[in-house]
Structures are given as structure tokens and as C-alpha cells.
């Protein structure tokens, strides 16, 4: 600790603090333009200049100067005022003063400082910037005429996002921020640069000219897309979500967001959302009243007796899921499941079998301090981008060693010093088994207290590094190196995302990752963690709440099979579009034909088209409740806007249904939370008051495994086909909902098939050509996207788009043999 | 007391004499409008559009909350008010909007004959405000 | 040749015709004056308050009374649900009728002479000459208060009721002073007939024969105090400013006529002005020598009536309303003693004179 004096105030701060940070902690105001809490000190703007007694003769930039013992700092004097004012005058020489048409006006740091320092005239004359604005990209408005060259966008894109789209180009007065070769912006469109920009140089285009900052009502809620659980602050006006506001004060994400969180909100305002309940009469879905719709549902379910299946989505709040569970009890059925069943088995069965728990063992912020990180599948960044940014910071700030077990390249593999174990598609298990075997062979494993070690050792004989290397095409040394790093690391993390397109080997991968976490001691160790991250906002909550088949109940796949055979008389699908997103179209399609089908959704989905009753529900922005994110963090979802038309929240609909079955339902989400906390393991001591700005992590920062059992898993074999298709998530989308949002759709609006350059050359395909993939199960066709991500012979198709009909050929297999035909 | 009563009576009697009327026979005679009179608003046009850039300062400063602005982007990528409406029934003619305007796009004319028959006629939209003239509604 | 006085017994037809003509003329003229009194009042008060008064309806707003009448005539006639409907309807009539009836005993001109069938007839320009004319007028004035009280009571509205009660108190208080001040007049004239009082005023002033013949014995000269008392109490009696407490818009939202609308309201309005005319006529008759004067007799009379009315209007334009206690104080503690003293003085004077 260091003692210093700022403006006559005695302050004690940590020795790593800068003068600015020390002053801020003491509540002393120093103006800044280029400083941001989460970025490294830079010192570009010279607005934060202060006087330091020991360094008389010049002014000191407070944001880059570390504190020293006995420092005496003055933050304001006539000279400082004059200098700061002069700095602002310099900035305003070139800065175009177009505040009336600049969307930043009202929250612009430069504007505020100009006002504060009363810069009404300028002693310097110069030419205003007259640079072309970036009108090409759909999401980020770049107007470099307003830039003050603080470099925050450059730094955030590099330090946090790890993409590096921007840099300074040219020299002197010509200096400006630009992309490579000064072309249009084409990046992840996470919009981090927008959130950092202190002026109006970078602005969200979807919000262009929509409203003024002071007109917006801000509501902190949790993003409804992935399991990362980022806090997003809705800026609402006229009962519409106008934009997502920057907020680094609450939540686990530190103000970081991805394209989906920052730009994927517009489906909330969509006028295509269902506004009235629909009931099928004479083969047609017709609008009806809520009373009739609920009556129709109740009649249908009663007719079906206990042969009812409930398929829930994982974007419902905990409270709603609790009511779903109650409804299943009221209906007397154990046929209850969520998210396509198979895909989350890694947690519910895999982790249960080994660690005895059903959740990730640690929290996201810990990863920043990890020394070694193993990401199973390169798609982790695509499914959980903001967690990916934490990994990037671990690498940049902490020199963490990242190993990516990858079937294709991606953002993670491009990070500095990332080791990519690029294997043949579908062979992740081999690699993990290989790493485990290296640990055991080299005696690096921490085997104390582990059950089933011998059995595992025996089974891992087949997976020696060399054997795995031959099978997967990954260098044996790399596997060994990865194993050694993981074992040697003080803090280490293993990341694995699951989701609808990653159904294959779900359970086995969960077990393998758990084995690895036990052998390396990661599971339950302070600072380390095994992260199995759900795809949807409340996947973890659904598992916690037990939206799972009961002992005699059927999972989703069995339900569909039973419904197809006519054994299941009624199906209740809440917030899911199985016809588009679930594997095995034929099975789902047949299942939805026969029984009494009730669909509860925001939009008229393909599944809803087949329903007998459609109940209009509302988005996350229209309801109150809690989500539990992939690190077990319970966070509050808050209502930002009122639901449109007659649509009701899932909570209200489930209340009505419960009442129709004569069961008492909790009156409010808060009441429901109190009730569910009692019956949900891990939530027993949680009350809503404890769910603060940073949420509440049930089970504590580190969740200790209940058992330490090693279970051997058998890996698959590589597919013998020249061309193979991988199914997965794309960065710009999450589930099927984001295809209704303008932001993500503006970047990726239609399905595509991605392939590497070599394949493209071989098949003489160019970007945008139509390609047909012929498979045993059927054909799919889409436009081609060519890049360097995919190894030769491997294609990739995202599962978000209904138009692709991907699930007609994807039935849950790890990889699909295809035959490309150019159209 | 009688003196005061008589004085009062004499004052009223004096006023009875011709030439003491202060009434302006309004439709026939009109008072001269002060140069800074605050009458009906006028949006200042430029060659092909209104000068207004929809910065939202006037609805923000308006104490009566009578100004509705909706900004949008025109073909040239400029910010313009797609909707600019003043509800004269709520307007208190304080002139803050004129004062707040950074581009001098709104001014107040001397038009004060603003009575009308229908409620809707008091909603002055952009087209009407662009056409408003000095001295006439 | 002495003209023959028209009587019912000797020339029934002619008498009836003359009577009808007199009644109709008196009634119509009064109504016209009522109508234009409103116009004159608005015009004069307007001017006195540096305004214009009505200007738009007809030349100088001359059609304003007619427009007002038409408007009120076509307005919806509302009787409040809780009102006593019979009293509510009868009240405005009860205020208007006595005012008009009083006119019947006022002599509005000297005798009119005409020749019919070779005989010279003389018709008094007076509907009827009661020998107790003054008492009759007092009686009618006393009746007028019933209209207001009934209107206030029947409306079933607290403001109206307060207006009615105020009016009763005020009328009772000031009728005493008015009556006592008139006593002094007929102590001098020794008759209650208004015709007699008018002729008594045509004698030389104070019986002084040396004065020029056009100086007549108008009682205003003999009884200035009585005139003052009468004038003030008559303002009070017709509820005009500064004694308009029963109406008092600012406190009682029009007092007794709050609930009235349409023609009933118009009747109250007409009653007020008719009363004003009646009182002016009485004042002119009792103190200003009736129709006596330099011009045609009826012109003299009308001129005096208008003069009175002008002063009423003038006062209304000038003085604010009295407070209730001030009103009572003035009525009982000043006007009444003064009137009594005046009667006593007059008595002594008459005794001395004889």
C-alpha cells in the first residue's frame, strides 16, 4: 500500500494504482477522455493532467502515472484549468461540431468537458475534418470526423475482444483510426468499440437518429440469448427497446457484449410477434380469446390423461420453469424435458456420474487469472463470446496458455500463443482421452482420492499420445505439451459448451472433461474450474429446476418417438421450435402431426404452424424473473417494456393453465422464486434480496465435487468420407430467435455452407455460389461462404436457419458424410 | 365619506365623456405587434427541406411538453424530422424552443389568431409549420 | 268650457277604449324601457369603465336587447330535480307582476283632452288614480320580495337560499326607511293619491308667491333629507349595486337566480329593470313634481325617470358592494332614525306653518 495526498486528502491505495484511480477511489474528480477502467492506461488525451509536488515544472497525466509514497497531488489549479481548456480547444479545431445531429450528444464526454470548461471560443483556427463516413457495414456507424483519437476503440478491440480491427494510420494531423487498408469494417460486430467511444465517432447504426440518451429509460436485465448471462441495460422509449446501453457497473460481463447482446434486441419490438391466442378450427388457426384458448388447452390435456409430454425451452426464467414443473405435476406426467434432451446430458449424466454435481465448478471472472486453459471445441467463442473475451484477457494480461481442441479454426485458435489441436471431425474424445493418458503416463496426474483409477488406466491404454495422434491427425507432442501445461498450471480452466447442434457424444464429452478435471485437480480447486456451459440463457436453471424426464418419464426424443407412434396424446411445447432446431426433422415432424399440440412462443414458428393451440408469449425484455447462467449465477431479469397486444408472459400463461387444472399458482415471480428456492437443491438459502447487481452464485465461487469418480469413455472413429459436414453455432446467432432480430440478421441473414479455400478451389466455388450437399438422409443447399477456417474436406453449416432444413440430414451424429454438388 | 363618494362618481362621469374608451375594436382595428412577440411557430425552410435537424432539444426544453419530434434519416443520410408537431392546445408560447434551437430552425411569428373549431386543427404538423406566415395563422 | 271627465257610467265604450289604450301604452312603453335599459346600462357602464359596451348587434349594438331576449327565449329551460317546481315557476312571475302593477297608479302626464261627438272629454294620463296610491305602491314593493325569497327557497340550492334570505332582510330593513321617508311627503300633500301629490307640487315653491311662476313646489326642495333617504333605500329595495347582496355574483354565484335559466331567468332580469323603472317613476312623482315641467307632460315625466335610471347606473358603475353587516347598520341605525327624525321635524314644521 502507498500513502499519498490528493488535494489535501490523505489516501492509501494499492501500489499498482495510478493517480487517477487513487483519486477516483477517494471520490476526487479528474476529467478523462481516453481512460477506461477495463483498458490498460494509455495517456492519449492529456485531459487528466495534474500537478505533482515532487515533479514540479510540468503537468503529469494522472491516468498513466503510478502512485508513489508521499506523493502530493493537486487536481485543479489555474494552470491546470488553462491547460485542460487548451487541450479541448485543440481537439475542437478539427472536431466537427455537429452535436444537433450527433446521436452521442447528451452523453458525450467531449461535449460535457467543453461545457464544463466553458470552451465557447477557440483561439486556434484550422480545417475541420472532412473524412468519408463508413456507410458500408450494417451495425457500426463510423464517423471519423468526430474522432478525438483517444484510441479506446483500438485498445478494446485488441485487449478485450482480441479481434484487432482498428488501428491508427497516417501521421500527424492526418492521423486517424482505420481498419486494415482503410476498408469498410467487417468484424465480429460486437460493438465494444461503440461502448468505449467517448464521442460520436462510433455509434450503433440501428439506433441512428432514434432517440436522445436522456429520453431513454434504462432497465438492467439479463441478455436472453446464451448461457453467459451478460447484464444488458435496455434503453426503452415509447414501449420499445431502442438500444442497449453501456453499463459496466453491474453484471458479470464488465460491460462487454457480443453482437447478439448489443444488436440482437430488435425481435423484442418485432411486429411479427404473436399478439393473440390462436386455436385451430376447421384446419385453420384462428384468433381467439384467452379464455377460449386456455379452455381448449385444458380440454385437450384432460382428454390426453397422463399421456402428455412437455417440451420446454431454456430461455424461460427460473420462475416460469418452476411453473412448468408444477404443471407437469398437475397433469400427472413425468414426460418433461428441455433443449432437445440429448445435448445437455454431459452435465446431467456425465458430471453426475463423475463429480456428483450438475453444474460448472467455478465462475467466469476466475478464468482471467488462469495460467492454462483448455477449450474443447473451437466453437466455444461462437456460443459464448463474452466468456471468450475473458479467455482473451487471460492470455493478454496473464500470459495464459490456451489449448483449443478444434475440428475447425476459429476465434480462439487465432488468439496469441493459442495451441490448436486440429483434429479430424468428431474425435474430441480421443484427444481428451489422450491428454488424460499422458497425465497418467507421465505421472502428472493428481490421483489422490480418485475412484476408478485403475479401470480408467486400463481403458486409456488405447489412447496413448501417439495412438491418438495417428487417429486424429494431431501432433503427439502438442497433446503432451497441453497435458503438461494443464497439470503444471496453478489455475487452470476447462471449457466445454453444449447445445442443440452439439448433441453427439454429449454425455461422453462431459465425462471425459470431468476425468481430465479430476486428474489435473482442476475440479474444486480454488482459482480453477471446469466449465460446462449451456447454450441458452437459462440452460443451467432448467437443469437446477429439474426440467428433466422423471424416473418413468420420457425425454424429448422418446416423447417424439412415442407421439409419432400415437402413444403420447398431447404435447406442450414452450419456447422451442423443435421442427427447426432439434436434430432429426423426420422424427419431430411425425411426432407433431398426430397429438394435440400446444405451442407457446413469440413468433409463428414452423412448430406453431402445426399446433392446435398457439399461445402468444413474451420476450425476456417484457418479464420479471431470474436466470441462472452457466456459472450458476442467479441474476434478475427485469421488465423493460409492456407486452404488445394480448401476449402474456410465460409466467402468466402458466398461471392460467395451472388454475385451469385447479392448482394454486404463485401470484408473482417473486413469490414463485421463494417457493422454488425451498425445493431446488443449491437454492435453499437464496432469497431475491441476495441477488444483487452482480447476481448470486449458488454453491459459492467454487463448487466442490461431491464424488471423485473416474469413468472411462470410449471414443468414436473418424468418418471415412472425403467430404464431411460439421453442424454448429454461428457467432452472430443464438438458437433460432436471433434470426428474427435485425442486428444479427443484417450481418448474417441467410443460411450458408462454409468451406475452406482449398475445397473451394477444388470444387471451383466462389463466395455466394449455391452449393448442394447430398447425403444419405437427404439434400441441403445454401450459398457458399469461403474462408480459412475449415480444414480440407470439412464443411460447416450453422443450425439457426429454418430455410436450410439442416435437421433433415442432422440427426445428432457428430459429423455427416456429404457429397458436394455445385449448382 | 361624501367627498370620496363624490370623487368616485366624478371619475366615472368623466370617463363617460367621449374619447375615454381604451378598447381596441379588434377585428377592425389591431394593435401593433411588438417585434419580439411570440405567436405561432414557424419552421424555417431551406431550399429543399426544413432547416430543422431533429436534435430533440426543443421537445426536451419545452415545459408544456407540446412538441413531438421523430427523427429519421433521409435519402442523403441527413438527420431530419420525419414528424414535427406542435400541439398548440398545450403550448404556452414561452419561446424556449426558439431559444434552445442550435440551428435557428424554429422561430415565432406574430400570428396570434389561432382559434379553431376542431381539436385536430390545433395540432400543427411540419407542413403547416413550414407554411406559417407573419401575422396570419 | 270644462271638459267632461271620461267615466264608465256616462261613456262606457269610450272609457273602456281609452283605458285599454292607456294600459297597453303604459305596458309596452315600460317593456321597451326595460329592454333598452339593459342596453343603456351596458353602454353607460362600459363607457364609465373605459370600454365600449355592445357594438356589434345592429347600429351601436342597439339590437343587443332583442338578441339577448331571443337567445334566452330559446335556451333550455331547466328545473332542478330537487327544486320545488311550483314555487320555482311562480317566483319569477311574482317578481315581475308587482313591478308592472305599480306602474298603474303613476300619473305619467297631464290630462289629455279630446273632442268626441262634439263633447270635450278629458282623460287623465294615468291608468288609475287610487286614493291610496302611495300605500298601494308600498304594498306592491312589499310583494316583490316574495319572488326573490321563493326563487331562492324553491331552487334548493344553498347559494340561492342565502340570496333569498339576504333579500328578505334587506327588503324589510329598507322598506321601513323608504316608507317613513314617504310619510313626510304626504304629510305635506295631505293626500295619498299620486295625482294629488303631483298637483300639490305645482303650487309655488314654499308658498312664496313672489317667485317666478315656473318655480314650483317640488318636494325635493321641501324634503331633501326624505329624498336622500328614499333614493338610497330604493336602490336597496331594487337590489342594485351597492346593495345587490342577494345576487352577489362573486360570493353567491348569482344568489337567488343561480338555478334559473332561459325565460325564467329573463323574467328575473326584466323584473329587476321593471322595478328600477317603477322606483324611478315613483321618485319622479313624489319628489320631482311628476310630469310637471317645461316640455310636454309625458316627456317631462320620461326625462325624470331616465335621469333617475342614469343615476342608478352611474352608482353601479362607481361603488363597490356593501358588506352585509354594513348594510344592516346603514338601514337600521342611520336610515331609520333619520327617517323618523324627518317625520318628526316635518310634523313640527307643518304645525308651525299652519
Amino acid at each position: 500500500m502507498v500513502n499519498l495526498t490528493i488535494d489535501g486528502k490523505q489516501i492509501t491505495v494499492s501500489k499498482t494504482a495510478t493517480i487517477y484511480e487513487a483519486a477516483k477511489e477517494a471520490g476526487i474528480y479528474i476529467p478523462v477522455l481516453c481512460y477506461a477502467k477495463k483498458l490498460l492506461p494509455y495517456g492519449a488525451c492529456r485531459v487528466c493532467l495534474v500537478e505533482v509536488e515532487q515533479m514540479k515544472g510540468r503537468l503529469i497525466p494522472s491516468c498513466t502515472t503510478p502512485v508513489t509514497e508521499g506523493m502530493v497531488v493537486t487536481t485543479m489549479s489555474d494552470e491546470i484549468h488553462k491547460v485542460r481548456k487548451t487541450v479541448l480547444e485543440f481537439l475542437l479545431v478539427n472536431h466537427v461540431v455537429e452535436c444537433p445531429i450527433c446521436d452521442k450528444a447528451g452523453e458525450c464526454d467531449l461535449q460535457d468537458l467543453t461545457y464544463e470548461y466553458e470552451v465557447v471560443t477557440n483561439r486556434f483556427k484550422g480545417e475541420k475534418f472532412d473524412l468519408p463516413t463508413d456507410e458500408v457495414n450494417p451495425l457500426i456507424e463510423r464517423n471519423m470526423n468526430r474522432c478525438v483519437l483517444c484510441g479506446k476503440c483500438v485498445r478494446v478491440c485488441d485487449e478485450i475482444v482480441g479481434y484487432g480491427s482498428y488501428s491508427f494510420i497516417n501521421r500527424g494531423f492526418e492521423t486517424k483510426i482505420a481498419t486494415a487498408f482503410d476498408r469498410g469494417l467487417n468484424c465480429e460486430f460486437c460493438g465494444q468499440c461503440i461502448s468505449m467511444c467517448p464521442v460520436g465517432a462510433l455509434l450503433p447504426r440501428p439506433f441512428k437518429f432514434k432517440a436522445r440518451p436522456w429520453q431513454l429509460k434504462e432497465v438492467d436485465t439479463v441478455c436472453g440469448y446464451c448461457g453467459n448471462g451478460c447484464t444488458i441495460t435496455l434503453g426503452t422509449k415509447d414501449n420499445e427497446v431502442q438500444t442497449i446501453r453501456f453499463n459496466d457497473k453491474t453484471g458479470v460481463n464488465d460491460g462487454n457484449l457480443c453482437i447478439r447482446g448489443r444488436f440482437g434486441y430488435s425481435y423484442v419490438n418485432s411486429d411479427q410477434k404473436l399478439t393473440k391466442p390462436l386455436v385451430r378450427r376447421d384446419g385453420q388457426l384462428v384468433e381467439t380469446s384467452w379464455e377460449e384458448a386456455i379452455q381448449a388447452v385444458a380440454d385437450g390435456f384432460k382428454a390426453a390423461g397422463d399421456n402428455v409430454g412437455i417440451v420446454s425451452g431454456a430461455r424461460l426464467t427460473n420462475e416460469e420453469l418452476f411453473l412448468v414443473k408444477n404443471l407437469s405435476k398437475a397433469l400427472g406426467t413425468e414426460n418433461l424435458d428441455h433443449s432437445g434432451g440429448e445435448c445437455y446430458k454431459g452435465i446431467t449424466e456425465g458430471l453426475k456420474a463423475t463429480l456428483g454435481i450438475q453444474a460448472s465448478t467455478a465462475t467466469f471472472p476466475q478464468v482471467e487469472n488462469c495460467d492454462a486453459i483448455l477449450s474443447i471445441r473451437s466453437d466455444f467463442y461462437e456460443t459464448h463470446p463474452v466468456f471468450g473475451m475473458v479467455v482473451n484477457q487471460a492470455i493478454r494480461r496473464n500470459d495464459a496458455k490456451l489449448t483449443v481442441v478444434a475440428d475447425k479454426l476459429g476465434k480462439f485458435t487465432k488468439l496469441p500463443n493459442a495451441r490448436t489441436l486440429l483434429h479430424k471431425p468428431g474425435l474430441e474424445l480421443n484427444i481428451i482421452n489422450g491428454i488424460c493418458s499422458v497425465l497418467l503416463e507421465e505421472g502428472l496426474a493428481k490421483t489422490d482420492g480418485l475412484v476408478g483409477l485403475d479401470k480408467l488406466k486400463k481403458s486409456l491404454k488405447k489412447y496413448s499420445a501417439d495412438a491418438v495422434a495417428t487417429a486424429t491427425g494431431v501432433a503427439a507432442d502438442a497433446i503432451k505439451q497441453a497435458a503438461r501445461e494443464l497439470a503444471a498450471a496453478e489455475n487452470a480452466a476447462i471449457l466445454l459448451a453444449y447445445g442443440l447442434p452439439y448433441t453427439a457424444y454429449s454425455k461422453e464429452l462431459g465425462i471425459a472433461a470431468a476425468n481430465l478435471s479430476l486428474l489435473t485437480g482442476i475440479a474444486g480447486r480454488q482459482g480453477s474450474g471446469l466449465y460446462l456451459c449451456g447454450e441458452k440463457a437459462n440452460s443451467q436453471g432448467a437443469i437446477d429446476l429439474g426440467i428433466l424426464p422423471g424416473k418413468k418419464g420420457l425425454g424429448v426424443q422418446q416423447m417424439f418417438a412415442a407421439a409419432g407412434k400415437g402413444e403420447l396424446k398431447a404435447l406442450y411445447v414452450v419456447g422451442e421450435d423443435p421442427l427447426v432446431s432439434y436434430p432429426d426433422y423426420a422424427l419431430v415432424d411425425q411426432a407433431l402431426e398426430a397429438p394435440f399440440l400446444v405451442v407457446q412462443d413469440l413468433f409463428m414458428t414452423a412448430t406453431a404452424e402445426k399446433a392446435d393451440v398457439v399461445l402468444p408469449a413474451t420476450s425476456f425484455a417484457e418479464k420479471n424473473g431470474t436466470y441462472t447462467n452457466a456459472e450458476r449465477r442467479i441474476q434478475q431479469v427485469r421488465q423493460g417494456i409492456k407486452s404488445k397486444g394480448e401476449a402474456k408472459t410465460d409466467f402468466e400463461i402458466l398461471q392460467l393453465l395451472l388454475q385451469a387444472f385447479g392448482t394454486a399458482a404463485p401470484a408473482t415471480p417473486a413469490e414463485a422464486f421463494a417457493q422454488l428456492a425451498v425445493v431446488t437443491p443449491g437454492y435453499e438459502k437464496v432469497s431475491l434480496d441476495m441477488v444483487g447487481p452482480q447476481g448470486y452464485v449458488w454453491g459459492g465461487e467454487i463448487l466442490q465435487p461431491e464424488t471423485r469418480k473416474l469413468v472411462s469413455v470410449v471414443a468414436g472413429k473418424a468418418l471415412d468420407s472425403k467430404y464431411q459436414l460439421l453442424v454448429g453455432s454461428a457467432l452472430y446467432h443464438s438458437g433460432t430467435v436471433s434470426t428474427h432480430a435485425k442486428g444479427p440478421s443484417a450481418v448474417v441473414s441467410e443460411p450458408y455452407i462454409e468451406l475452406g479455400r482449398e475445397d473451394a478451389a477444388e470444387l471451383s466455388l466462389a463466395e455466394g455460389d449455391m452449393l448442394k450437399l447430398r447425403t444419405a438422409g437427404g439434400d441441403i443447399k445454401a450459398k457458399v461462404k469461403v474462408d480459412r477456417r475449415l480444414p480440407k474436406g470439412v464443411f460447416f453449416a450453422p443450425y439457426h436457419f429454418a430455410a436450410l432444413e439442416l435437421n433433415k440430414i442432422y440427426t445428432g451424429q457428430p459429423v455427416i458424410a456429404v457429397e458436394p454438388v455445385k449448382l | 365619506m361624501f367627498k370620496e363618494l363624490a370623487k368616485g362618481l366624478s371619475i366615472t362621469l368623466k370617463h363617460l365623456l367621449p374619447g375615454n374608451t381604451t378598447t381596441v375594436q379588434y377585428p377592425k382595428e389591431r394593435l401593433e405587434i411588438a417585434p419580439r412577440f411570440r405567436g405561432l411557430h414557424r419552421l424555417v425552410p431551406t431550399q429543399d427541406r426544413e432547416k430543422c435537424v431533429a436534435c430533440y432539444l426543443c421537445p426536451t426544453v419545452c415545459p408544456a411538453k407540446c412538441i413531438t419530434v421523430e427523427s429519421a434519416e433521409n435519402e442523403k443520410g441527413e438527420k431530419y424530422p420525419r414528424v414535427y408537431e406542435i400541439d398548440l392546445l398545450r403550448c404556452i408560447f414561452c419561446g424556449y424552443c426558439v431559444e434552445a434551437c442550435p440551428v435557428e430552425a424554429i422561430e415565432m411569428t406574430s400570428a396570434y389568431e389561432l382559434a379553431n373549431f376542431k381539436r385536430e386543427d390545433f395540432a400543427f404538423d411540419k407542413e403547416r409549420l413550414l407554411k406559417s406566415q407573419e401575422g396570419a395563422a | 268650457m270644462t271638459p267632461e271627465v271620461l267615466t264608465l257610467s256616462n261613456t262606457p265604450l269610450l272609457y273602456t277604449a281609452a283605458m285599454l289604450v292607456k294600459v297597453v301604452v303604459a305596458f309596452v312603453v315600460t317593456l321597451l324601457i326595460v329592454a333598452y335599459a339593459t342596453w343603456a346600462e351596458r353602454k353607460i357602464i362600459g363607457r364609465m369603465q373605459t370600454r365600449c359596451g355592445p357594438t356589434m348587434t345592429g347600429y351601436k349594438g342597439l339590437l343587443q336587447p332583442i338578441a339577448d331576449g331571443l337567445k334566452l327565449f330559446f335556451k333550455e329551460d331547466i328545473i332542478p330535480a330537487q327544486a320545488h317546481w311550483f314555487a320555482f315557476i311562480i317566483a319569477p312571475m311574482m317578481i315581475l307582476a308587482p313591478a308592472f302593477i305599480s306602474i298603474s297608479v303613476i300619473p305619467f302626464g297631464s290630462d289629455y283632452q279630446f273632442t268626441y261627438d262634439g263633447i270635450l272629454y278629458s282623460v287623465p294620463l294615468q291608468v288609475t288614480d287610487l286614493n291610496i296610491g302611495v300605500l298601494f305602491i308600498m304594498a306592491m314593493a312589499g310583494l316583490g320580495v316574495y319572488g326573490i325569497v321563493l326563487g331562492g327557497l324553491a331552487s334548493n340550492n344553498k347559494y340561492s337560499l342565502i340570496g333569498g334570505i339576504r333579500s328578505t332582510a334587506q327588503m324589510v330593513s329598507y322598506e321601513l326607511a323608504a316608507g317613513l321617508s314617504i310619510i313626510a311627503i304626504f304629510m305635506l300633500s295631505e293626500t295619498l293619491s299620486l295625482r294629488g301629490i303631483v298637483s300639490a307640487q305645482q303650487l309655488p315653491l314654499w308658498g312664496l308667491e313672489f317667485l317666478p311662476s315656473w318655480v314650483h313646489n317640488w318636494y325635493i326642495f321641501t324634503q331633501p333629507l326624505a329624498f336622500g333617504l328614499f333614493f338610497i333605500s330604493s336602490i336597496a329595495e331594487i337590489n342594485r349595486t351597492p346593495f345587490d347582496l342577494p345576487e352577489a355574483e362573486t360570493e353567491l354565484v348569482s344568489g337567488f337566480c343561480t338555478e334559473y335559466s332561459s325565460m325564467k331567468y329573463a323574467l328575473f332580469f326584466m323584473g329587476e329593470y321593471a322595478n328600477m323603472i317603477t322606483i324611478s317613476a315613483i321618485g319622479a312623482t313624489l319628489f320631482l313634481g311628476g310630469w310637471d315641467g317645461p316640455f310636454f307632460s309625458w316627456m317631462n315625466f320620461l326625462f325624470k325617470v331616465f335621469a333617475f335610471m342614469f343615476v342608478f347606473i352611474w352608482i353601479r358603475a362607481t361603488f363597490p358592494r356593501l358588506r352585509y353587516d354594513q348594510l344592516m347598520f346603514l338601514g337600521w341605525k342611520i336610515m331609520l332614525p333619520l327617517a323618523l327624525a324627518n317625520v318628526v321635524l316635518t310634523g313640527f314644521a307643518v304645525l308651525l306653518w299652519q
Side-chain angles (χ1 to χ4, degrees), chain B residues 5 8-10 12-13 15-23 25, chain C residues 43-44 47-52 55-56 310 314-315 317-319:
Chain B
L5 291 176
L9 286 169
S10 75
T12 42
L13 193 64
H15 285 162
L16 183 63
L17 301 173
N20 280 316
T21 312
T22 48
T23 307
Q25 294 286 342
Chain C
K43 220 46 189 173
I44 292 168
R47 287 307 188 107
M48 285 179 165
Q49 295 169 345
T50 73
R51 293 181 287 111
C52 289
T55 54
M56 303 309 285
F310 172 76
W314 184 12
I315 286 173
T318 311
F319 298 130

Side-chain angles (χ1 to χ4, degrees), chain B residues 26-81:
Chain B
Y26 160 61
K28 286 182 235 153
E29 311 164 27
R30 277 153 203 273
L31 290 170
E32 199 177 312
I33 303 297
R36 284 167 61 182
F37 183 84
R38 299 191 298 265
L40 177 67
H41 314 70
R42 171 167 175 266
L43 281 179
V44 182
T46 56
Q47 274 128 330
D48 54 345
R49 56 167 284 193
E50 61 287 320
K51 215 170 170 184
C52 172
V53 294
C55 72
Y56 284 100
L57 282 189
C58 46
T60 303
V61 78
C62 180
K65 297 273 162 279
C66 69
I67 306 180
T68 313
V69 181
E70 265 179 47
S71 57
E73 195 174 356
N74 68 11
E75 314 83 54
K76 291 185 214 157
E78 297 166 333
K79 195 180 186 187
Y80 83 106

Side-chain angles (χ1 to χ4, degrees), chain B residues 62-136:
Chain B
C62 180
K65 297 273 162 279
C66 69
I67 306 180
T68 313
V69 181
E70 265 179 47
S71 57
E73 195 174 356
N74 68 11
E75 314 83 54
K76 291 185 214 157
E78 297 166 333
K79 195 180 186 187
Y80 83 106
R82 194 185 47 187
V83 175
Y84 194 103
E85 197 175 290
I86 297 182
D87 183 358
L88 278 201
L89 291 172
R90 297 188 71 173
C91 181
I92 58 167
F93 296 93
C94 62
Y96 278 15
C97 47
V98 180
E99 214 171 307
C101 186
V103 294
E104 291 174 355
I106 188 167
E107 53 186 38
M108 284 177 127
T109 64
S110 56
Y112 55 82
E113 288 166 310
L114 306 171
N116 234 322
F117 291 96
K118 275 184 264 150
R119 192 162 271 274
E120 308 87 67
D121 292 338
F122 289 96
F124 276 68
D125 60 10
K126 194 171 78 180
E127 274 61 46
R128 281 176 79 187
L129 288 169
L130 278 167
K131 277 186 217 134
S132 53
Q133 299 284 319
E134 287 296 328

Side-chain angles (χ1 to χ4, degrees), chain C residues 49-312:
Chain C
Q49 295 169 345
T50 73
R51 293 181 287 111
C52 289
T55 54
M56 303 309 285
T57 20
Y59 176 71
K60 301 244 175 223
L62 271 170
L63 295 178
Q64 190 66 40
I66 294 160
D68 282 346
L70 278 175
K71 181 196 78 175
L72 282 169
F73 191 78
F74 286 109
K75 282 222 158 185
E76 190 191 353
D77 188 12
I78 297 165
I79 300 177
Q82 301 286 309
H84 189 291
W85 69 270
F86 181 72
F88 190 80
I89 290 167
I90 207 84
M93 304 180 194
M94 281 191 67
I95 199 167
L96 189 60
F100 276 110
I101 289 170
S102 303
I103 301 285
S104 63
V105 295
I106 309 276
F108 46 83
S110 56
D111 290 1
Y112 176 67
Q113 297 186 341
F114 66 100
T115 317
Y116 181 77
D117 240 355
I119 308 164
L120 185 66
Y121 291 105
S122 153
V123 187
L125 285 185
Q126 184 179 19
V127 177
T128 178
D129 178 26
L130 288 179
N131 53 0
I132 50 153
V134 177
L135 277 185
F136 178 79
I137 283 169
M138 297 302 292
M140 286 303 128
L143 267 184
V145 75
Y146 283 93
I148 293 177
V149 173
L150 266 185
L153 200 60
S155 295
N156 205 352
N157 169 324
K158 52 181 173 288
Y159 294 121
S160 305
L161 186 62
I162 294 171
I165 289 168
R166 279 188 181 181
S167 142
T168 325
Q170 185 177 327
M171 287 271 196
V172 169
S173 316
Y174 281 81
E175 208 150 284
L176 275 171
L180 285 172
S181 62
I182 296 172
I183 284 176
I185 301 294
F186 52 76
M187 278 167 81
L188 294 178
S189 65
E190 294 173 356
T191 173
L192 288 179
S193 153
L194 288 163
R195 189 177 160 81
I197 291 174
V198 171
S199 33
Q201 288 182 78
Q202 283 163 353
L203 300 171
L205 183 61
W206 296 321
L208 303 173
E209 302 289 346
F210 58 84
L211 289 171
S213 65
W214 51 268
V215 184
H216 288 169
N217 186 22
W218 293 1
Y219 285 143
I220 188 172
F221 303 122
T222 334
Q223 290 288 353
L225 180 61
F227 176 73
L229 292 173
F230 172 80
F231 186 75
I232 292 169
S233 42
S234 56
I235 297 175
E237 227 169 314
I238 57 175
N239 298 328
R240 286 188 62 85
T241 323
F243 303 112
D244 59 343
L245 277 84
E247 270 186 51
E249 286 94 339
T250 41
E251 314 155 28
L252 297 182
V253 279
S254 282
F256 60 91
C257 50
T258 303
E259 300 292 349
Y260 281 90
S261 58
S262 181
M263 218 42 212
K264 292 204 192 69
Y265 178 73
L267 287 184
F268 272 121
F269 217 75
M270 285 163 71
E272 191 189 323
Y273 283 89
N275 266 326
M276 196 161 110
I277 293 163
T278 312
I279 284 288
S280 304
I282 294 165
T285 309
L286 294 182
F287 292 97
L288 298 182
W291 43 262
D292 183 29
F295 314 109
F296 293 120
S297 58
W298 58 271
M299 276 170 72
N300 294 331
F301 181 75
L302 278 183
F303 178 76
K304 289 170 190 169
V305 168
F306 290 158
F308 259 102
M309 288 172 72
F310 172 76
V311 176
F312 285 146

Side-chain angles (χ1 to χ4, degrees), chain A residues 295-344:
Chain A
Q295 194 55 48
V297 176
D299 291 346
F301 284 172
K302 273 173 191 154
D306 55 1
N307 290 321
V308 183
I310 301 180
V311 179
S312 169
R315 284 189 175 127
L316 271 60
T317 61
N318 286 328
E319 291 76 5
E320 287 159 357
L321 291 170
F322 179 64
L323 294 199
V324 168
K325 182 98 179 162
N326 283 359
L327 184 67
S328 79
K329 282 179 197 152
L331 292 170
T333 177
E334 291 197 316
N335 305 331
L336 174 67
D337 208 347
H338 78 277
S339 284
E342 287 302 318
C343 72
Y344 59 78

Side-chain angles (χ1 to χ4, degrees), chain A residues 734-755:
Chain A
S734 177
T736 55
V737 173
S738 63
T739 59
H740 293 278
K742 283 184 204 141
S745 299
V747 183
V748 177
S749 58
E750 45 181 12
Y752 59 87
I753 297 167
E754 194 177 337
L755 66 164

